Amino acid sequence: MAVSSVQILGTGQLIELQRKLRAAGHENIRSSMQRRIRRAAEPLRDDLQDTIRHMPITSRGRQAGKRGGPSPTTRPLRASIANAIRISVRTAGSPGARVWVDKGLLPPDIPMGVLKQLNDLGHVRHPVFGNRSRWARQDGTALWWDKTVRRHTPRMEAEVARVLDDVRRRLE
């Protein structure tokens, strides 16, 4: 699973329902459905943000006799990632909810590869203060994104199915 996004889609059901909504002209039902689908995805986004914010990231630290110094950045890595996690809901095209990391909200020195490394390998390897001849490794929790998504998927699928059933009943 890609770290950058997760999508909950019932494409066949959602597309058919959207066609009926458009034909019936029920704008308030469509906006209500969109709001409820967003609400179903919000706990996942919040849990992903909490998970990354509270993930212990450790390193071996400086060894005796090695140089060191203050970090060149005051921006915390985990908070920056958490603030970039977003939700989008579409009711047309390929309808559904999507929870994703907006790379445009990440600082330029945090590439998407850092998120993939942290999720897939459980650690991040990076140059020390940009010096590509010295590298450091910081350990986190492997599969943090995947495990959190897996925990929320059954609840989200059930909620989206409930929303679809409610809308279908209102249209009949």
Side-chain angles (χ1 to χ4, degrees), residues 101-113:
V101 176
D102 185 350
K103 68 180 182 180
L105 294 175
L106 287 174
D109 60 334
I110 301 178
M112 289 298 285

PDB file of all heavy atoms in Angstrom, residues 101-113:
ATOM      1  N   VAL A 101      -1.384  12.133   1.974  1.00  0.00           N
ATOM      2  CA  VAL A 101      -0.384  13.097   2.416  1.00  0.00           C
ATOM      3  C   VAL A 101      -0.183  14.081   1.277  1.00  0.00           C
ATOM      4  O   VAL A 101       0.211  13.701   0.176  1.00  0.00           O
ATOM      5  CB  VAL A 101       0.952  12.415   2.779  1.00  0.00           C
ATOM      6  CG1 VAL A 101       1.997  13.453   3.137  1.00  0.00           C
ATOM      7  CG2 VAL A 101       0.753  11.441   3.927  1.00  0.00           C
ATOM      8  N   ASP A 102      -0.466  15.341   1.542  1.00  0.00           N
ATOM      9  CA  ASP A 102      -0.324  16.391   0.547  1.00  0.00           C
ATOM     10  C   ASP A 102       1.135  16.832   0.522  1.00  0.00           C
ATOM     11  O   ASP A 102       1.596  17.530   1.418  1.00  0.00           O
ATOM     12  CB  ASP A 102      -1.240  17.562   0.913  1.00  0.00           C
ATOM     13  CG  ASP A 102      -1.240  18.663  -0.135  1.00  0.00           C
ATOM     14  OD1 ASP A 102      -0.402  18.620  -1.058  1.00  0.00           O
ATOM     15  OD2 ASP A 102      -2.085  19.565  -0.018  1.00  0.00           O
ATOM     16  N   LYS A 103       1.868  16.399  -0.498  1.00  0.00           N
ATOM     17  CA  LYS A 103       3.298  16.718  -0.535  1.00  0.00           C
ATOM     18  C   LYS A 103       3.548  18.199  -0.698  1.00  0.00           C
ATOM     19  O   LYS A 103       4.619  18.696  -0.356  1.00  0.00           O
ATOM     20  CB  LYS A 103       4.028  15.902  -1.596  1.00  0.00           C
ATOM     21  CG  LYS A 103       3.691  16.233  -3.012  1.00  0.00           C
ATOM     22  CD  LYS A 103       4.485  15.334  -3.941  1.00  0.00           C
ATOM     23  CE  LYS A 103       4.195  15.676  -5.383  1.00  0.00           C
ATOM     24  NZ  LYS A 103       4.948  14.830  -6.290  1.00  0.00           N
ATOM     25  N   GLY A 104       2.556  18.947  -1.177  1.00  0.00           N
ATOM     26  CA  GLY A 104       2.687  20.396  -1.269  1.00  0.00           C
ATOM     27  C   GLY A 104       2.723  21.072   0.095  1.00  0.00           C
ATOM     28  O   GLY A 104       3.212  22.184   0.234  1.00  0.00           O
ATOM     29  N   LEU A 105       2.213  20.396   1.120  1.00  0.00           N
ATOM     30  CA  LEU A 105       2.232  20.940   2.479  1.00  0.00           C
ATOM     31  C   LEU A 105       3.467  20.518   3.269  1.00  0.00           C
ATOM     32  O   LEU A 105       3.697  21.015   4.371  1.00  0.00           O
ATOM     33  CB  LEU A 105       0.969  20.524   3.240  1.00  0.00           C
ATOM     34  CG  LEU A 105      -0.333  21.098   2.704  1.00  0.00           C
ATOM     35  CD1 LEU A 105      -1.521  20.530   3.466  1.00  0.00           C
ATOM     36  CD2 LEU A 105      -0.321  22.611   2.776  1.00  0.00           C
ATOM     37  N   LEU A 106       4.226  19.574   2.707  1.00  0.00           N
ATOM     38  CA  LEU A 106       5.467  19.159   3.366  1.00  0.00           C
ATOM     39  C   LEU A 106       6.568  20.160   3.056  1.00  0.00           C
ATOM     40  O   LEU A 106       6.636  20.686   1.948  1.00  0.00           O
ATOM     41  CB  LEU A 106       5.907  17.776   2.871  1.00  0.00           C
ATOM     42  CG  LEU A 106       5.108  16.580   3.346  1.00  0.00           C
ATOM     43  CD1 LEU A 106       5.594  15.317   2.632  1.00  0.00           C
ATOM     44  CD2 LEU A 106       5.211  16.412   4.852  1.00  0.00           C
ATOM     45  N   PRO A 107       7.442  20.428   4.017  1.00  0.00           N
ATOM     46  CA  PRO A 107       8.588  21.295   3.716  1.00  0.00           C
ATOM     47  C   PRO A 107       9.430  20.662   2.603  1.00  0.00           C
ATOM     48  O   PRO A 107       9.459  19.440   2.458  1.00  0.00           O
ATOM     49  CB  PRO A 107       9.367  21.329   5.030  1.00  0.00           C
ATOM     50  CG  PRO A 107       8.377  20.934   6.070  1.00  0.00           C
ATOM     51  CD  PRO A 107       7.415  20.005   5.404  1.00  0.00           C
ATOM     52  N   PRO A 108      10.132  21.469   1.820  1.00  0.00           N
ATOM     53  CA  PRO A 108      10.882  20.929   0.681  1.00  0.00           C
ATOM     54  C   PRO A 108      11.979  19.940   1.076  1.00  0.00           C
ATOM     55  O   PRO A 108      12.368  19.106   0.261  1.00  0.00           O
ATOM     56  CB  PRO A 108      11.487  22.162   0.014  1.00  0.00           C
ATOM     57  CG  PRO A 108      11.202  23.310   0.887  1.00  0.00           C
ATOM     58  CD  PRO A 108      10.207  22.916   1.914  1.00  0.00           C
ATOM     59  N   ASP A 109      12.459  19.996   2.313  1.00  0.00           N
ATOM     60  CA  ASP A 109      13.512  19.061   2.714  1.00  0.00           C
ATOM     61  C   ASP A 109      12.967  17.737   3.239  1.00  0.00           C
ATOM     62  O   ASP A 109      13.727  16.893   3.688  1.00  0.00           O
ATOM     63  CB  ASP A 109      14.445  19.710   3.752  1.00  0.00           C
ATOM     64  CG  ASP A 109      13.717  20.132   5.016  1.00  0.00           C
ATOM     65  OD1 ASP A 109      12.503  20.402   4.941  1.00  0.00           O
ATOM     66  OD2 ASP A 109      14.359  20.192   6.072  1.00  0.00           O
ATOM     67  N   ILE A 110      11.658  17.529   3.181  1.00  0.00           N
ATOM     68  CA  ILE A 110      11.071  16.235   3.544  1.00  0.00           C
ATOM     69  C   ILE A 110      10.432  15.653   2.289  1.00  0.00           C
ATOM     70  O   ILE A 110       9.274  15.926   1.987  1.00  0.00           O
ATOM     71  CB  ILE A 110      10.013  16.365   4.659  1.00  0.00           C
ATOM     72  CG1 ILE A 110      10.598  16.975   5.911  1.00  0.00           C
ATOM     73  CG2 ILE A 110       9.417  14.983   4.976  1.00  0.00           C
ATOM     74  CD1 ILE A 110       9.604  17.181   7.031  1.00  0.00           C
ATOM     75  N   PRO A 111      11.164  14.834   1.547  1.00  0.00           N
ATOM     76  CA  PRO A 111      10.585  14.232   0.349  1.00  0.00           C
ATOM     77  C   PRO A 111       9.627  13.093   0.720  1.00  0.00           C
ATOM     78  O   PRO A 111       9.682  12.556   1.834  1.00  0.00           O
ATOM     79  CB  PRO A 111      11.802  13.701  -0.405  1.00  0.00           C
ATOM     80  CG  PRO A 111      12.831  13.489   0.639  1.00  0.00           C
ATOM     81  CD  PRO A 111      12.565  14.493   1.725  1.00  0.00           C
ATOM     82  N   MET A 112       8.748  12.727  -0.196  1.00  0.00           N
ATOM     83  CA  MET A 112       7.791  11.645   0.051  1.00  0.00           C
ATOM     84  C   MET A 112       8.517  10.328   0.334  1.00  0.00           C
ATOM     85  O   MET A 112       7.984   9.457   1.005  1.00  0.00           O
ATOM     86  CB  MET A 112       6.851  11.479  -1.143  1.00  0.00           C
ATOM     87  CG  MET A 112       5.860  12.615  -1.299  1.00  0.00           C
ATOM     88  SD  MET A 112       4.735  12.795   0.079  1.00  0.00           S
ATOM     89  CE  MET A 112       3.648  11.435  -0.209  1.00  0.00           C
ATOM     90  N   GLY A 113       9.741  10.196  -0.151  1.00  0.00           N
ATOM     91  CA  GLY A 113      10.509   8.981   0.115  1.00  0.00           C
ATOM     92  C   GLY A 113      10.755   8.752   1.595  1.00  0.00           C
ATOM     93  O   GLY A 113      10.875   7.615   2.043  1.00  0.00           O
TER      94      GLY A 113
END
